Amino acid sequence: MPEEMAGNIAQQKASLLSQATQSLRDFRYSQHHHTAGTFPVAQMTQTGPRRIQNSGMEDESREQSQSSSTGMRLIVPLQGIVQGRGGLILGSVIPCAMFYFLQFYLKRRRSPPNLPHEQTSNPPSPSHSSSNLTELSRSASRSSLLLSRGSIGRPHVSSRVHSIAKSNDSPYNIGLDKVSADPYDRLNNPNGVIQLGLAENRLTLDLIENWITEKLNESILSGIATYQPFDGMTELKVAMAGLMSQVVGRTVTFDPSQIVLTSGATPAIEILCFALADPGNAFLIPAPYYPGFDRDMKWRTGVELIPVHCRSSDNFTLSIPVLDQAFNQARKRGQKIKGILLSNPSNPVGNLMTRETLFSLLDFAREKNIHIISDELFAASTFGDEEFVSMAEIIDSEDTDKDRVHIVYGLSKDLSLPGFRVGVIYSYNENVLTVSRKMTRFSPVSAPTQRLVTSMLSDTTFIKNYTEINRERLRNMYDLFVDGLKDLGIRCTKSSGGLYCWCDMSGLIRPYNEKGELDLWDKLLNVANINITPGSSCHCIEPGWFRCCFTTLDETDIPVVIERIRLVVETCKSPS
Amino acid sequence: MAIEIVQPSVGLSKIAVSETHGENSPYFAGWKAYDENPYHEKHNPSGVIQMGLAENQVSFDLLEEYLESNQEATSWGKNVSGFRENALFQDYHGLLAFRKAMASFMEQVRGGKAKFNPERIVLTAGATAANELLTFILANPGDALLVPTPYYPGFDRDLRWRTGVQIVPIHCESSNNFQITPEALESAYDHARSMNMKVRGVLITNPSNPLGATIQRKVLEQILDFVTRKNIHLVSDEIYSGSVFHSDEFVSIAEILESRNYKDSERCHIVYSLSKDLGLPGFRVGTVYSYNDQVVTTARRMSSFTLISSQTQFLLASMLSNKEFTEKYIKINRERLRKRYEMIVDGLKKAGIECLKGNAGLFCWMNLSPYLNEATREGELEIWKKMMEEVKLNISPGSSCRCSGAGWFRVCFANMSEETLEVALRRLHEFMDRRRNGQKTHDLSALAQVQSFSLGDICRLFGERSKDLKSDLISSLSDSR
């Protein structure tokens, strides 16, 4: 399957690219500091992403070897690839070419003057105290007299600190930061950046607002100040099980005792990773996937994600042979696969998994003896003709071997309450539940919020009414938005769920690769002032696809958005 | 009552099946015993009294009073515009209004002797998460943190379980009132190095949990000099700083840093929470306050895993911004805790029990070492188990806090009413009386077993001294089975 191979090479390149980018950055910083020749605390404070100084007192030699290896890292991973394919020439030519390209790439990426994301997103500007600190003379201090080498090193931080600096440079985050710096407002800031990059639903907030004004009269604060069960109050679990049953529909019921509540879906997914996999183990994940998974699943757990690429020719649905192939390739590399993470309805594509696919997935997981995490955050945010089938329904029809299935749910999307931080782990595995209950100590939901949400979810008439109206409004906005794009010649895949559509702008990008995609994204963000999520952030294998969330908009905003996109589309089409 | 993890058909992670969370210790076992049979004045007067939970209920009435007179803050009923922003607010920076209120509350608790910058406050869902988050940021798996013993039993879970970081104890001894000495610091450091561990920092609790005492300025200076010399971090967990009985007896690391002009402050991080000082553990509000820009930035990103609900932030922002309320609260709370502390220390003294001299917290550090049958962990757990079985009191044994000497216990006094505390003290008194008599009879019963004497023989042997002796003997014999 040559196409698949090409895909894999592209994927390897992409990961190499990010690895090398980081190494290069490390390299540049360390060079900068060496040439500066001084003790560069103040400079480092401003330079941002990497400002660890490796000059330990006790472990100086070890630290030095660490810092000198940062320069080496650029070359070493490339050799690994090249050796596999042989050739001394390639071994020297490719690294040089990559290096040149990267410098070029970094230069480009850094040039836009109005990308102040570090400043805007990170208010912890150095306080007066810490900047004073850098100017203090160190030789006079008592503590430095105690030191044999005369200067004080910076205390070391863990390697996790370094890994995040990389991910925060992604277009996904840059876009979000740009919006928060200059958000569009119909009346007050009509030229601001329009947010289409955040899956947040504002279409039905009025309903919740009304409920709170009219129905919430009991005192939600009595008797809850003391310690509460960390995995959630029983009343909320009961109400949550009720909501999930209602959303999933048909005959599926959820058992409150299989629920563990967490402060949002983010920790729910991380807890499952901690519970199911060791550092270095991997999960298979159909790509394109939600950009946040890289942080949620990998950062602190040390778990790896292996994308299983879905393609436009299949309407981005998952095919079992491709999954099997990814599994076998990973196994050949010696990697241990612990499970599959599904998002259904999918984020970013918005399609649903069919009953047949879910059954085959379960068979696959059984055959390989691995877990399935089914992220069903958008279960009630469906609006198409297709039916949503929960993994719970599939597992309900089985009598045995349920303990490999874990469902993630939450109120951030379906109930538009991301601020309340209510997430759910629903597992059929008693051991996983036991561990999750312990771990949710690190991510509990505050008691007043639990009380409020319990009260809201227990009002089943309201919830039923809410979900119906929400679906109608989603459908309406989806149609309007997709029609608008169609007029510009931009196609979208058929979506049935979620708060977004998945748009094909591959015809507008030049060259037809990730760079072309990011060029277009950059233009949309900085010229048209529209933030959308490029497919590369979602690890999409085909360039030119974008996720556009339409639920932060008002109907009247749609013409504005379409008009802004039109301007960019026209510059792309006109011969330059 | 250990939770058994049966090896499932589809494997879990090493973390999932490991025991590093330490939740099988007596500290947690006691909680379960309480959960199964909780004391209630009327409905279950013979139930277990929970003295193992550091929860502050002595000032609930003040909170209730505030909430009643400020109802608009507790819901959005009257302030609909606020709702929209809040429902959608999921920025990991946290509400600025809340961070400001938090910073000023922390200043207030320290009597204005330290300044806190709201931009350095990272919010987490409780101090548990704050401590774990800092550990993730400061250390790699296999690295070590030095923690003075005795320490809060939950640290085994919070600092080690998911991070893979090791705790190396700094041994503090009863002979000098469990003070942290430079020698103990050095020796812990050397011990970690000898095991090839990279030491990343020292974590102290000030006021100390479980000792219930503040750390002296001189000791703090020594610790700060130590971490500077070793180029490692210092985490100061100050979650009981507002529960110091006399405000002038507490020195925050923030004050020391200020007095040093913030020199080397970038290695210092403070953990704070509203669970203890404001008695709101159900609200799950914690914070990391770091003087290190990079740690602040990373902690903020990492707080995505442990965000506080916007509704709760909104509510507390309004409560903590009310200076009049907070001032009154802090003052009255301190007084009440001091009164409680005196009450329990007096009661224990009457039962013949000494405590370490404390000045803070929701517990006292009780010395039962003279009453152990053997000065070991087993001897300590024996008396702990007896106390649970005979008089239904759950306290926390020092061994679960990794205390180096046997026979010390943490006894919490703020999570109950005064009446319940009186009941608990009566029970303790009764237990001690029985124990003293039991110790006398202990030898006799051993004798009886060896010589196969009958009870009657022994009583005859010693003369018909008292009926008490006989009944004590019977109970001590039945216990030994």
Side-chain angles (χ1 to χ4, degrees), chain A residues 231 257-260 268-269 271-277 371-373 402-408 425-440, chain B residues 3-6 8 10-13 16-17 161:
Chain A
D231 58 323
S257 71
Q258 286 172 249
I259 287 181
V260 174
I269 286 179
I271 285 173
L272 284 173
C273 285
F274 269 121
L276 305 179
H371 294 270
I372 293 180
I373 301 176
K402 297 180 173 192
D403 62 0
R404 66 180 76 254
V405 173
H406 322 282
I407 294 171
V408 171
I425 294 173
Y426 188 86
S427 176
Y428 297 83
N429 186 317
E430 205 41 59
N431 296 317
V432 170
L433 286 171
T434 305
V435 172
S436 305
R437 282 187 200 113
K438 283 201 178 90
M439 286 194 187
T440 196
Chain B
I3 294 161
E4 285 173 31
I5 296 203
V6 186
V10 53
L12 304 188
S13 70
V17 296
W161 189 28

Side-chain angles (χ1 to χ4, degrees), chain A residues 45 51-52 55-59 62-63 66 118 121-127 129-130 133 136 138 141-143 146-147 152-161 164-165 168 200-202 205-206 208-209 212-213 216 220-221 224-228 230 263 266-267 270-271 274-278 295-296 299-300 338 369-371 401 403-404 416-421 429 431-432 434-435 438-439 441-449 452, chain B residues 3-6 8-16 21 23 31 53-55 57 60 67 74-77 80 83-84 86-90 92-93 117 119-120 125 128-129 132-133 135-141 152 157-158 161-163 189 193 198 200 225 228-233 261-267 275-276 279-284 291-298 300-302 304-312 315:
Chain A
T45 308
R51 31 166 296 232
I52 318 294
S55 52
M57 306 316 304
E58 301 291 310
D59 312 306
R62 200 188 296 183
E63 295 307 320
Q66 228 176 50
E118 271 298 326
S121 73
N122 301 318
S125 58
S127 70
S129 55
S130 71
L133 168 80
L136 280 172
R138 285 171 187 277
S141 79
R142 183 182 150 225
S143 48
L146 296 165
L147 300 167
I152 296 175
R154 302 175 68 86
H156 307 287
V157 289
S158 82
S159 51
R160 293 179 186 96
V161 174
I164 195 65
N168 224 45
E200 177 180 278
N201 186 356
R202 299 191 184 186
L205 271 179
D206 56 323
I208 299 201
E209 214 167 71
I212 285 188
T213 331
L216 188 73
I220 54 163
L221 292 166
I224 50 167
T226 53
Y227 278 102
Q228 303 295 324
F230 281 91
S263 50
T266 298
E270 194 200 37
I271 285 173
F274 269 121
L276 305 179
D278 294 325
R295 174 198 64 193
D296 302 350
W299 189 20
R300 305 199 301 185
K338 276 308 193 67
N369 193 24
I370 57 176
H371 294 270
D401 195 30
D403 62 0
R404 66 180 76 254
S416 317
L417 294 174
F420 283 28
R421 311 312 303 151
N429 186 317
N431 296 317
V432 170
T434 305
V435 172
K438 283 201 178 90
M439 286 194 187
R441 260 193 109 89
F442 300 110
S443 318
V445 188
S446 97
T449 300
L452 193 158
Chain B
I3 294 161
E4 285 173 31
I5 296 203
V6 186
S9 56
V10 53
L12 304 188
S13 70
K14 288 181 185 123
I15 287 177
H21 53 71
E23 289 196 12
W31 286 16
L53 180 65
E55 187 174 82
Q57 298 184 5
F60 265 171
L67 291 173
T74 64
S75 73
W76 288 285
V80 164
F83 166 75
R84 261 180 194 245
N86 269 276
L88 294 174
F89 185 86
Q90 52 175 334
Y92 54 47
H93 293 86
N117 175 359
E119 298 302 330
R120 291 190 172 277
T128 300
E132 191 199 41
L133 202 120
T135 311
F136 267 123
I137 293 170
L138 305 182
N140 290 313
Y152 163 59
R157 173 197 55 218
D158 303 349
W161 189 28
R162 305 201 300 184
T163 62
Y189 187 89
R193 297 291 296 152
K198 203 162 196 173
R200 291 295 192 165
D225 290 341
T228 307
R229 202 160 61 238
K230 302 294 188 192
N231 190 26
I232 56 178
H233 294 271
N261 249 327
Y262 295 100
K263 185 176 149 37
D264 266 315
S265 61
E266 62 188 2
R267 65 182 74 255
S275 300
K276 310 298 183 183
L280 287 176
F283 282 44
R284 308 312 306 143
Y291 295 87
N292 184 316
D293 295 345
Q294 192 180 20
V295 170
V296 170
T297 307
T298 311
R300 203 151 265 170
R301 284 175 195 150
M302 212 180 259
S304 299
F305 297 108
T306 181
L307 295 175
I308 305 171
S309 139
S310 56
Q311 178 217 15
T312 304
L315 195 162

Side-chain angles (χ1 to χ4, degrees), chain A residues 40-57:
Chain A
V41 180
Q43 288 155 330
M44 287 194 303
T45 308
Q46 273 123 39
T47 44
R50 179 168 165 90
R51 31 166 296 232
I52 318 294
Q53 184 65 6
N54 296 313
S55 52
M57 306 316 304

Side-chain angles (χ1 to χ4, degrees), chain B residues 351-371:
Chain B
I353 303 170
E354 293 295 326
C355 292
L356 179 81
K357 192 177 175 325
N359 60 2
L362 313 174
F363 32 74
C364 59
W365 187 237
M366 174 172 89
N367 183 7
L368 291 186
S369 61
Y371 303 103

Side-chain angles (χ1 to χ4, degrees), chain A residues 473-548:
Chain A
R473 292 187 186 172
L474 284 172
R475 164 97 264 166
N476 179 40
M477 283 298 280
Y478 175 79
D479 287 344
L480 286 173
F481 196 81
V482 169
D483 285 350
L485 289 175
K486 205 177 189 177
D487 290 344
L488 303 178
I490 298 171
R491 267 182 339 106
C492 296
T493 53
K494 186 173 180 301
S495 294
S496 304
L499 313 174
Y500 31 73
C501 53
W502 184 239
C503 318
D504 178 7
M505 304 198 195
S506 58
L508 303 173
I509 65 169
R510 227 166 295 143
Y512 180 72
N513 59 21
E514 189 180 325
K515 187 188 165 295
E517 177 182 297
L518 290 177
D519 277 347
L520 178 60
W521 168 78
D522 194 85
K523 244 189 247 176
L524 284 163
L525 181 63
N526 292 308
V527 180
N529 272 356
I530 282 186
N531 179 42
I532 59 178
T533 310
S536 52
S537 285
C538 306
H539 301 260
C540 183
I541 192 152
E542 295 176 29
W545 290 81
F546 292 85
R547 185 187 79 163
C548 303

Side-chain angles (χ1 to χ4, degrees), chain A residues 542-568:
Chain A
E542 295 176 29
W545 290 81
F546 292 85
R547 185 187 79 163
C548 303
C549 301
F550 49 77
T551 49
T552 52
L553 303 176
D554 193 274
E555 252 180 59
T556 55
D557 294 328
I558 291 187
V560 182
V561 172
I562 300 297
E563 198 42 47
R564 288 193 188 185
I565 298 178
R566 183 194 302 280
L567 290 175
V568 172

Side-chain angles (χ1 to χ4, degrees), chain B residues 28 34 265 315 401 419:
Chain B
F28 294 99
Y34 166 77
S265 61
L315 195 162
C401 305
E419 292 73 32

